[in-house]
Amino acid sequence: MTRRKLIPSIYSLFVQQLLPDKFALLGVARTPFTDEQFKEEMKTALHEFKEIDDEKQIDSFLSKVHYQSIKYDDASAYLLFKSRLEKLRKEEEIGGNTVFYLSTPPALYGIIPDQLATVGLNSQDDGWKRLVIEKPFGYDLESALKLKERLLKNWTEDQLYRIDHYLGKETVQNLFITRFSNGIFEPLWNRNYIHHVEITSAESIGIEKRGGYYDSSGALRDMVQNHLLQVTGLVAMEPPSSLQADALRNEILKVFQSLRPIKKDEIKHCAIRGQYLESTIKNVKVPAYRDEEDVSPTSVTETFAALKFYIDNWRWGGVPFYVRTGKRMPTRVTEVVIHFKQTPHFLFSEKCVTPGNQLIIRIQPDEGILIKFGMKKPGEGYNVETVNMDFHYADLSDQRIPPAYERLINDTIIGDTTLFARTEELIEAWKFLTPVLESWKNDPDIPLYGYPAGTWGPETADNLIEDVGGTWRYPCKNLSNDGIYCEL
Ligand code: BG6
């Protein structure tokens, strides 16, 4: 994470002169690096994960980088850490403003902030102190509530920055712009015109080297509880009264508070889970999830999850939302599909009944927006054909799309919390999903379906959406195409 995302993003902010003139970066971990060894590591990472064309600039960045090894549970180590920070401040002539970024195993999200507070590093007397926490925030409702309580003992809510990197994606933020800067969508954006909403986040990769983490997490915790519910929040929220961070986050919170709980006896039909099986993809044999490194051979952790749920408010009453995510699916794609209702009376030949219009908001890859609508097929009669109208971000060739972490780290420094999840949002998300997780864990009648790696998940997930007479969209690599025969 530090090598792939954090250091390249901070370096990028440095190159764009978005960091303060005077700053220092202190890497902290258990590994006993010297400053020089850490800098070398970071230099290699920058060459690996960033296009570097200016070695001088990289050296000037690395001159601000330092390192200290620490045992996370050793109270005296935090005193040393504090004095190291003070020394750096003096040397670099910087004030007390500090971001503590916890890119650590989640088990440390309680201990480290406690220890920082014990040595007074939560005090804002000499400048602001902000604590960035990666996901997952808790493991279920109970643990999230405990973590909340523990953090709020020493830190205030506005010192906490809970990163959800999906909110840092330009295209996720564009959901907000698409909805609220265009007069044409808002009148249609409700139960009167929308038939159902489909959100997919598929990945072609497996769990890679993350078996240890993933096997105790699973797809619902890893992707739905955070990223996909946040996307749902942006699709479903009411217009905020302003762009103030809390105005926006209040509206997302209201969506989460309106999620209709999935009843125990509905879980089997409304929450489908799957796990990938061994398969051959493009002539390469890929292992079953249970044969992956650090995964139990009898694991029942889901690598695929699909949910159907409702948002009980005036805008969305009766509109089903379908969300699915999975590892080892045919392609990597995240998109939202708004399915509009069919016209009240379809005039044209039955044979040619087209699906209702669709608005597809592609979050990645081939980022963009696609509208599908019916046109007259040239020739005799009145035959309808579905055609595309599309916009691709790539067409804005002069615009750079900043990576999510770059945006979020910059927002942390400037103190803009708009794109960070608030504690209450996460608690509501856990309230909604914990019953599903518990039933999956305890109810032997709820199946875990296998699906061959490289497919769109278990067939049963198709039944979920067939109840509205639809099918999932089978997205391709390219936004404009779909169906089972296309480039993935
Ligand atoms: C992370 C999950 O939060 O998001 C990973 O832990 C997942 O399992 C990743 O692969 C997906 O992010 P992105 O930006 O590649 O869609």
Side-chain angles (χ1 to χ4, degrees):
M1 179 71 188
T2 304
R3 301 176 76 250
R4 260 173 199 275
K5 304 277 186 196
L6 301 186
I7 291 292
S9 300
I10 298 172
Y11 175 71
S12 197
L13 293 172
F14 172 76
V15 172
Q16 294 167 74
Q17 299 181 344
L18 290 172
L19 293 184
D21 289 344
K22 294 182 175 179
F23 75 96
L25 193 154
L26 180 60
V28 184
R30 281 170 306 186
T31 321
F33 283 135
T34 60
D35 269 19
E36 286 320 308
Q37 283 168 327
F38 184 65
K39 282 178 207 248
E40 264 318 297
E41 276 284 311
M42 295 306 113
K43 190 171 195 167
T44 315
L46 283 173
H47 282 111
E48 200 174 333
F49 297 109
K50 200 136 190 69
E51 281 166 24
I52 305 288
D53 47 14
D54 187 344
E55 287 295 329
K56 266 198 194 142
Q57 209 155 28
I58 197 170
D59 286 341
S60 129
F61 173 71
L62 288 172
S63 70
K64 308 280 184 190
V65 174
H66 311 266
Y67 185 80
Q68 166 132 1
S69 81
I70 199 170
K71 273 196 192 144
Y72 295 117
D73 52 357
D74 173 4
S76 59
Y78 288 83
L79 284 171
L80 287 177
F81 169 64
K82 186 180 179 185
S83 48
R84 180 77 191 274
L85 275 185
E86 275 159 8
K87 189 166 166 253
L88 281 175
R89 277 183 195 138
K90 274 200 194 118
E91 283 167 11
E92 302 283 343
E93 298 175 338
I94 39 185
N97 293 345
T98 314
V99 176
F100 300 102
Y101 195 117
L102 268 59
S103 178
T104 65
L108 299 171
Y109 294 166
I111 300 170
I112 297 177
D114 279 358
Q115 297 280 16
L116 292 174
T118 307
V119 296
L121 282 171
N122 58 341
S123 157
Q124 307 206 74
D125 293 347
D126 60 345
W128 50 253
K129 305 288 180 304
R130 298 181 182 143
L131 192 64
V132 181
I133 305 177
E134 281 281 345
K135 67 154 225 248
F137 190 85
Y139 182 76
D140 53 15
L141 179 58
E142 198 190 331
S143 54
L145 284 169
K146 275 194 187 142
L147 181 59
K148 169 187 163 185
E149 217 175 282
R150 186 165 179 182
L151 287 171
L152 291 179
K153 261 192 199 148
N154 297 314
W155 302 80
T156 57
E157 176 68 27
D158 61 6
Q159 286 181 285
L160 303 178
Y161 287 65
R162 279 166 233 79
I163 282 231
D164 184 316
H165 80 279
Y166 263 57
L167 290 176
K169 289 182 192 275
E170 281 285 318
T171 41
V172 170
Q173 292 155 37
N174 188 44
L175 273 167
F176 181 69
I177 305 291
T178 304
R179 286 195 55 198
F180 300 127
S181 72
N182 294 299
I184 57 168
F185 294 125
E186 178 52 24
L188 305 180
W189 210 266
N190 57 54
R191 65 188 304 277
N192 297 327
Y193 298 99
I194 293 181
H195 190 261
H196 65 280
V197 176
E198 179 187 337
I199 300 176
T200 291
S201 181
E203 292 181 276
S204 48
I205 54 168
I207 51 150
E208 306 202 292
K209 302 267 172 224
R210 299 165 73 221
Y213 150 76
Y214 198 87
D215 208 32
S216 59
S217 167
L220 206 65
R221 287 190 177 91
D222 187 50
M223 291 293 294
V224 181
Q225 191 272 344
N226 33 67
H227 309 324
L228 298 186
L229 281 185
Q230 289 291 341
V231 170
T232 306
L234 286 164
V235 170
M237 69 191 276
E238 294 301 316
S241 55
S242 75
L243 278 183
Q244 292 295 316
D246 272 339
L248 197 132
R249 299 193 305 173
N250 285 344
E251 296 306 333
I252 293 187
L253 176 64
K254 281 192 218 159
V255 173
F256 289 4
Q257 288 167 333
S258 312
L259 289 167
R260 185 191 299 173
I262 305 178
K263 292 197 198 103
K264 216 169 173 195
D265 58 347
E266 293 168 343
I267 290 175
K268 192 170 174 179
H269 306 290
C270 296
I272 308 298
R273 57 176 171 164
Q275 191 188 75
Y276 61 80
L277 307 172
E278 182 187 279
S279 177
T280 302
I281 304 175
K282 293 183 184 155
N283 292 328
V284 178
K285 204 166 162 193
V286 297
Y289 173 70
R290 288 180 186 180
D291 295 330
E292 299 271 19
E293 205 179 310
D294 296 328
V295 169
S296 151
T298 54
S299 170
V300 289
T301 299
E302 79 287 356
T303 58
F304 171 95
L307 291 184
K308 172 187 176 183
F309 59 85
Y310 291 90
I311 297 172
D312 282 339
N313 61 21
W314 278 40
R315 185 183 286 271
W316 296 110
V319 178
F321 280 69
Y322 297 89
V323 168
R324 68 175 166 168
T325 183
K327 300 272 185 202
R328 283 270 187 244
M329 295 182 78
T331 189
R332 172 178 184 253
V333 63
T334 302
E335 63 178 26
V336 176
V337 187
I338 310 289
H339 294 262
F340 290 94
K341 288 184 177 170
Q342 187 49 277
T343 51
H345 167 55
F346 197 71
L347 282 174
F348 310 102
S349 114
E350 274 300 311
K351 270 197 307 207
C352 304
V353 173
T354 50
N357 298 104
Q358 293 176 8
L359 169 70
I360 296 141
I361 304 175
R362 179 61 84 90
I363 290 167
Q364 63 195 22
D366 194 9
E367 293 81 359
I369 290 193
L370 172 70
I371 298 180
K372 285 185 169 279
F373 60 102
M375 282 282 294
K376 181 178 180 304
K377 210 171 183 168
E380 55 170 313
Y382 292 97
N383 294 322
V384 184
E385 186 175 325
T386 301
V387 292
N388 288 342
M389 198 156 75
D390 51 3
F391 156 75
H392 302 256
Y393 265 84
D395 295 341
L396 305 173
S397 51
D398 55 335
Q399 305 267 341
R400 169 176 178 267
I401 301 187
Y405 275 94
E406 197 176 306
R407 167 74 196 250
L408 295 173
I409 293 171
N410 191 39
D411 283 0
T412 309
I413 295 170
I414 61 177
D416 182 349
T417 52
T418 313
L419 299 176
F420 293 83
R422 252 187 354 206
T423 310
E424 299 100 296
E425 288 169 41
L426 299 172
I427 299 292
E428 288 301 325
W430 281 124
K431 261 189 210 160
F432 176 59
L433 293 175
T434 300
V436 176
L437 290 164
E438 277 173 1
S439 290
W440 280 0
K441 187 170 165 211
N442 302 322
D443 185 345
D445 281 348
I446 302 186
L448 168 72
Y449 298 97
Y451 63 97
T455 64
W456 284 104
E459 276 178 32
T460 324
D462 296 341
N463 306 340
L464 192 69
I465 200 162
E466 274 164 12
D467 67 353
V468 278
T471 57
W472 297 99
R473 186 172 120 95
Y474 293 105
C476 307
K477 193 169 169 186
N478 178 322
L479 164 65
S480 312
N481 298 337
D482 57 42
I484 39 183
Y485 298 106
C486 61
E487 193 193 348
L488 293 166

